[in-house]
Amino acid sequence: MGITCGVCLLESCEEALPNETSPEETQELRLGVDQIRTRALDDSFEVNDTIGVYAVKWQDETSPGDLLSYGNYADNVAFVLKDEADNWLNEEAVYYPADGSKLDIYAYYPYHREWINRDTTGIYFRVNPDQREYANYTASDFVTAKTTGVVRSTQKVHLTFDHKLSQLVFALKAGEGFTTNELADAKITIKNAIIDVTYNLAEGNDGTPVTGQERADALPTGEWQMPAEGGSLYGYKAIVAPQVLNQETYLEIKLGSRTFTQRFSNAIEMKSGESRLFTITVSNTELAVSTTLNPWNYQGGEIEGDASEEEVDPDAFIVEWEVGTGEAVLMSYLFTRAGSSLWIDWGGMELHLSK
């Protein structure tokens, strides 16, 4: 699955143009979106989205050139979507070669001026682990495109963008002991997720990113939406590096003072370009988790598993009170009772009371 858009590239901006030139030599570069299949928004680019474009000139009629880290026919030219009418503006002019040479076009999103390293076409990309702000989520969606053998034309050049990372989408269902309304405050975290990759842009749509080693707890974007009639709460999603969900990288769901975890004994491989819908049924004693695929691609299968509630001292209880000056601050602390003594865990500082 990918994104299809169009670009018109004309004579190289590095070649001096005469004062009087033919329309074919002075035609402006144009970019327009012809069809959107998937992106962070799932059905369109958004206004102010910016892609980076590289152009590589063929050596001759039958021999494509190689993408370099710099010194290409066009290097990392930014195209910005200016309005919902699909008007894209580029930061500098790019024209077709005057000699009629073919071009290969490479593109990626989101744009970064310095992503190409000096001696390699490898891009190091890191998702934002805290995706609660929607801007952090969209900036974590890394997509690439390539089209080959482009010749001068007034028609748009079609670019199909492919997702290179993995997406998790969440839904919550009320099981025994819960109502849908009680689940509306649930918080989901992808614990210990890998958040960085390296991708070789020269591979175009065919490449697979190399997953890195940086780990963090990933927080999804969104808010729970109530179903019209029954069904599941929905509205949260996150993007991470392609990786395996297992005992080490797992899901955590918090409901008030209760914490449930889903550690997968049968590892789930999150592939490049793959998105999974995790439907989580919350019962009084456990979670039941199943997964299916959404339209990013159609590989993989359904996964099921049970989540357990984290053990809490049976004599423990929660007390909440408001403190602060000017603005009330709601604070919760865990009290643990043992015999005739009382311990108060005050955010890392313990208070011990006894008779």
Side-chain angles (χ1 to χ4, degrees), residues 206-282:
D206 298 327
T208 300
V210 177
T211 299
Q213 298 181 344
E214 184 177 357
R215 292 181 178 271
D217 291 347
L219 304 175
T221 191
E223 58 183 26
W224 292 121
Q225 304 291 325
M226 297 292 291
E229 296 182 4
S232 306
L233 292 172
Y234 63 93
Y236 276 90
K237 55 188 175 181
I239 296 173
V240 296
Q243 62 194 280
V244 172
L245 302 185
N246 50 24
Q247 297 285 332
E248 182 180 11
T249 302
Y250 58 95
L251 303 181
E252 178 185 86
I253 297 90
K254 288 192 173 182
L255 284 168
S257 62
R258 304 179 68 177
T259 299
F260 295 85
T261 58
Q262 171 64 70
R263 299 175 185 264
F264 297 96
S265 56
N266 295 323
I268 300 175
E269 183 179 2
M270 297 294 300
K271 298 179 180 179
S272 172
E274 182 174 277
S275 175
R276 286 189 178 272
L277 170 62
F278 288 76
T279 300
I280 305 167
T281 302
V282 185

Side-chain angles (χ1 to χ4, degrees), residues 106-127:
Y106 299 79
Y108 69 92
Y109 169 90
Y111 174 78
H112 194 288
R113 193 172 300 275
E114 302 298 333
W115 263 354
I116 297 296
N117 299 327
R118 177 165 295 276
D119 297 320
T120 177
T121 55
I123 294 177
Y124 175 79
F125 181 73
R126 179 182 182 274
V127 307

Side-chain angles (χ1 to χ4, degrees), residues 121-127 140-144 162-167 194-213 239-244 269-274 296-297:
T121 55
I123 294 177
Y124 175 79
F125 181 73
R126 179 182 182 274
V127 307
S140 298
D141 185 18
F142 182 60
V143 297
T144 65
D162 286 340
H163 291 275
K164 294 304 177 184
L165 303 185
S166 300
Q167 183 193 59
I194 302 175
I195 60 171
D196 65 323
V197 299
T198 301
Y199 186 77
N200 185 0
L201 188 61
E203 296 180 355
N205 289 3
D206 298 327
T208 300
V210 177
T211 299
Q213 298 181 344
I239 296 173
V240 296
Q243 62 194 280
V244 172
E269 183 179 2
M270 297 294 300
K271 298 179 180 179
S272 172
E274 182 174 277
W296 269 26
N297 66 24

